[in-house]
Every structure is written in C-alpha cells, then in structure tokens.
RNA sequence: GUGGAUGUAGCUCAGCUGGUUAGAGCAUUGGAUUGUGGUUCCAAGGGUCGUGGGUUCGAGCCCCAUCUUCCACCCCA
C-alpha cells in the first residue's frame, strides 16, 4: 500500500510548543482582564443545530457554515426530485441537521435562552473557543480560528459599552500593541437612510460609504444609483459623504443633518455619551467615530465597535457591538446585550510581526541533567526530585547518549543551566553546573544551585 | 463564490529553447572529539519534481483537470 502524505484541511493549522506558549500568553492576558472586569467563562459545543445557526449571519454567512452530515443512512429521507435536480441547498438541509459554530455570539444567545432561569442578570460571561468558517483562506484569514468573546446580556446601560472599550484598551496596552478603536452606531446609519428617504437601503448606503476611501465619491454615487437609490436621496447624502473636521464637529454636523430622524438622533446621543465617558476615563488608545463601519452581522442594533492595529495591516483584530434582540429569535424578547470578540489568531500575527512576545522563561525547562548511565542516573534522579520540589522546571535526559547529543538537545531547547553529575561529582557531593549562555562551568552544592536558579 | 499567481529534499530555493544519473545552502545522522552545546572540518542519508491524465522518440520544463498556498474581489476575526 502506498504511503500517503499527511495533510490538514486548508485554512487549518497545527501549533508547535513554541507557538502554543505564545498563544497562551495572549489567551492568558485576555482572560486576566476579562476576569478583572467581572466576567466569567462558559463553553458551548463545537456543533450546534443548524436551525440555531441558519439565518443569523445573513445570506453570506449561511454559505460559510460548515455542515455536519447526519449519522446513519442519511440519504434515506432525501426527496429524489431535489436530488435529481441537484438542488444542493435543499438536499443539504435534508442530510444535515448540525453545523460547526460560526461565531460565539449566537451560541451564547441560545445558551442564555436555554438557561434563563438559572442566570443572574445582567449576565457577564466570556468564552474562548474555536469557530469555523468555510471561507477561502488568506493571510490572517483561517477556516478554523479562535475567538475570545466578552458579552454582557440583560442590561441596556451604555456603561457596558464604555466598559468594553476600557477592556480593549487594557488588553492591548498589556500586549503593547497600539490600536485604533473605531466606533459607529447602527442607529446613526439607519437615521441617515431615513433622512434621505431610503429606509430599506441602509445596508447599500453603508457599504457605499465604506468604499468612499477606496473608489472615490463619483463611483460611490454611481454605485448607489445602480443599487436603486434615488437621485434625490443621493443628493441629500452628499453633505455626509464629504463631511470633514474633528470628531466633535462631525457629530455636531450629523446632529443637524439628522434632526428629522428620531432614531438617528438617538444614535448620536449614544455615541456622544460613550465617547465622553471614555474620554473622562482617560483611555490610552485612539477612539474615533467611523461612519464606514458597518460590520456585516445582521443582529447589531446600536453601537458598533472595531479595533485595528495601528502598525500592522491585517484587518480588524477585535470587533463587536450591541444587539437588542438576539435572544428574541429563540423566544426571549426584550433582552439587550452588548459584546466584543478578540481575534486571537490575528493578534498573534500582529505580535509576531512587531516582535512583542516576551521571553516566557518561567514556562520552559530551566535545568537540564546529563545522563551518564545507570549508576549516575540513580543518583541524579534524587537530585532532580529535589530541584523540582523547589519549584524549578527540570528534566533528565532519558538515555545515556553521547554528551554532545545531550548538550545539543539542551541547547536547542534553550535551557539555561546544564548540570553534570558523573562519578567525580558524586564522590565530592557537588554538581557541575554549566551556564549555557556564558559557557562558564563551576562546581557547587545543591542548595546553592537552587538559590542561584531561583535568583536567575 | 469570482479572477490571478504558485507548487522541485524536512526548510529556503536553483534547474537554459523539452535531451543522459535533478542540484545548492540550511537542517538531520555519523565521524574528527569514548565527560561538554552554540564555531570549524570530513562523510552519509534523504526526491514517483503537488496529484491525475495528455502531447512527444524523450517532460521538472508544454497542454488539460484537480488540490495546496498566496494575492485581489465578496465577506470577515
């Protein structure tokens, strides 16, 4: 039988020990801050019923769901017509009732509804788990990646939005990454659409605004026309498209322009509140209004937040917003939530590119014992035990291989101290300690050695 | 999902208009050095040239399909 080359599905990755140490540094930092602000973890299954997933992410999102084949004789219930006509979508629904989760927010909403009687509202939880999207992979875009979600549900206070921004600021300053926090509000977008008299074209208008920087005003206008937006509406939109000035000035101008729209005004008030509070609290990162921020997810209703690394071009590394009625789909109305999601994989790429990972010396082996053979091994094993008891990460080479090989192993593993215990040392009751960085070697007693390593 | 590029040793790559046995550096293994790594020297192992088909006397090179990775779009963390 021919040996097959092992591969993994495109867009997925293996993580080496070195990578995991770095990844855990990110996860640990994020978790620490989440808990600092009073959020506690939950987990949900990798698979959800398709019925809870479908229709929550828009048409595009449905296409990107990984579906899980039913177990057993999954073809038995398929309608032959659908199969014969190659109706992939219809057939898919007949042979699959589960799917891999696409994000953590929708499963969370499902969780809240299912456990509503046990939950103490407002419910502050975080969740760090992988999600899957059948997207075409690219740089910084994977088919399996981790999200770190924090949400608070059951409170419509804007203080929650402020707290989320504080946490963003806290986490990225701990990671030493300079970021820009962009803020928008779905109500402002809706207000703009209302003001120009094209309520139902909100998404098209938003996407057009989003492209302003890329393709320019003229093309944006002609694209709007293509989408069926009336000329009068486009005319009314011009002051917003060409708006200039500081954050405050823009908001003031918007306040004038959107006077006729109650929703729009509310969005502006909300944004002003959030921005003022954030300014009062002295958040380090730059926080700015960005009308182009649409965020495809359908369920946002208020604030929209997105974070970009200031020094690396990689797309957003954190995003989220307020969803007033996500639980409504699952039969629980009037519960507002707001949350954000940190993209661990992209943050990893950013830290890697900027060389911001710390030396995690407390995680790796500190002391390596050379193995000289049966008799020395017996003695060394006891020494090793004492070193470990002192809380020092240490290991003994499992076989009495050549010194060169053992030293090589220690060197590659970046172990700072190598301890050599042969017959001489046993007789003298000392350790020969080699500092791998300086190459110096000296004999010392065990207790002195332990103190030396601890002080290192 | 649409368009473009890419794939040769574990890694990074060379390989002429199609022509004998496909190369280098790094890495690996062994030796110089039977208690001393990171430097040096010597040697060895390692390839169905992404996969499948086609053209040809002959294909790593040309053609088709397919997959991978990357880039742009769509969308997104």
């Amino acid at each position: 039988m021919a040996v097959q080359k092992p591969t993994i599905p495109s867009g997925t990755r293996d993580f080496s020990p070195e990578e995991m140490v770095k990844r855990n540094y990110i996860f640990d930092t994020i978790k620490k801050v989440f808990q600092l602000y009073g959020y506690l973890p939950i987990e949900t299954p990798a698979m959800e019923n398709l019925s809870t997933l479908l229709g929550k992410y828009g048409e595009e999102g449905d296409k990107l769901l990984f579906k899980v084949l039913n177990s057993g004789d999954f073809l038995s219930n398929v309608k032959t017509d659908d199969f014969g006509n190659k109706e992939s979508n219809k057939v898919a629904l007949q042979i699959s009732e589960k799917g891999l989760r696409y994000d953590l927010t929708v499963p969370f909403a499902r969780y809240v509804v299912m456990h509503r009687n046990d939950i103490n509202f407002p419910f502050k939880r975080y969740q760090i788990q992988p999600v899957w999207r059948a997207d075409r992979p690219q740089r910084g875009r994977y088919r399996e990646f981790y999200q770190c979600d924090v949400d608070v549900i059951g409170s419509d206070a804007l203080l929650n939005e402020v707290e989320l921004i504080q946490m963003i600021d806290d986490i990225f300053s701990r990671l030493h990454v300079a970021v820009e926090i962009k803020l928008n509000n779905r109500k402002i977008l809706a207000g703009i659409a209302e003001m120009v008299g094209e309520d139902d074209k909100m998404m098209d208008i938003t996407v057009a605004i989003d492209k302003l920087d890329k393709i320019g005003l003229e093309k944006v206008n002609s694209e709007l026309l293509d989408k069926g937006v009336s000329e009068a509406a486009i005319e009314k939109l011009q002051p917003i498209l060409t708006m200039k000035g500081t954050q405050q000035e823009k908001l003031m101008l918007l306040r004038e322009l959107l006077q006729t729209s109650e929703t729009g005004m509310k969005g502006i008030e909300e944004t002003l509140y959030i921005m003022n509070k954030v300014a009062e609290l002295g958040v380090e990162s730059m926080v700015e209004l960005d009308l182009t921020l649409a965020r495809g997810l359908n369920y946002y209703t208020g604030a929209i937040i997105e974070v970009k690394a200031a020094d690396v071009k990689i797309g957003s590394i954190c995003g989220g917003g307020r969803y007033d009625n996500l639980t409504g789909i699952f039969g629980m109305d009037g519960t507002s939530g707001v949350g954000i999601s940190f993209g661990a994989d992209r943050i990893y790429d950013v830290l890697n590119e900027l060389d911001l990972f710390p030396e995690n010396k407390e995680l790796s082996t500190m002391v390596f014992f050379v193995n000289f053979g049966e008799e020395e091994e017996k003695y060394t094993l006891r020494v090793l035990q004492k070193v470990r008891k002192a809380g020092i990460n240490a290991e003994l080479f499992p076989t009495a291989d050549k010194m060169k090989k053992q030293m090589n192993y220690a060197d590659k593993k970046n172990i700072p101290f190598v301890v050599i215990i042969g017959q001489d040392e046993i007789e003298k009751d000392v350790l020969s300690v080699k500092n791998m960085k300086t190459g110096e070697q000296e004999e010392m007693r065990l207790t002195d050695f332990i103190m030396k390593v601890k002080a290192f």
Side-chain angles (χ1 to χ4, degrees), chain A residues 184-202:
Chain A
N184 195 5
N185 197 301
R186 201 72 162 224
K187 292 186 181 118
I188 296 180
L189 297 176
I192 292 172
E194 196 182 318
M195 182 269 285
V196 301
E198 299 271 5
D199 294 46
D200 52 333
K201 292 271 183 347
M202 184 186 87

Side-chain angles (χ1 to χ4, degrees), chain A residues 368-370 372 417-422 424-426 428-435 440-445 449:
Chain A
F368 175 85
F369 287 89
V370 176
F372 270 109
F417 297 104
V418 167
V419 174
I420 298 160
I421 305 175
D424 294 355
E425 286 82 1
I426 294 178
K428 289 204 272 187
D429 190 28
V430 292
L431 315 178
S432 282
V433 176
K434 176 156 184 162
N435 181 322
E440 285 164 21
Q441 185 168 322
E442 54 179 322
E443 293 185 348
M444 62 178 78
R445 308 198 76 95
F449 174 61

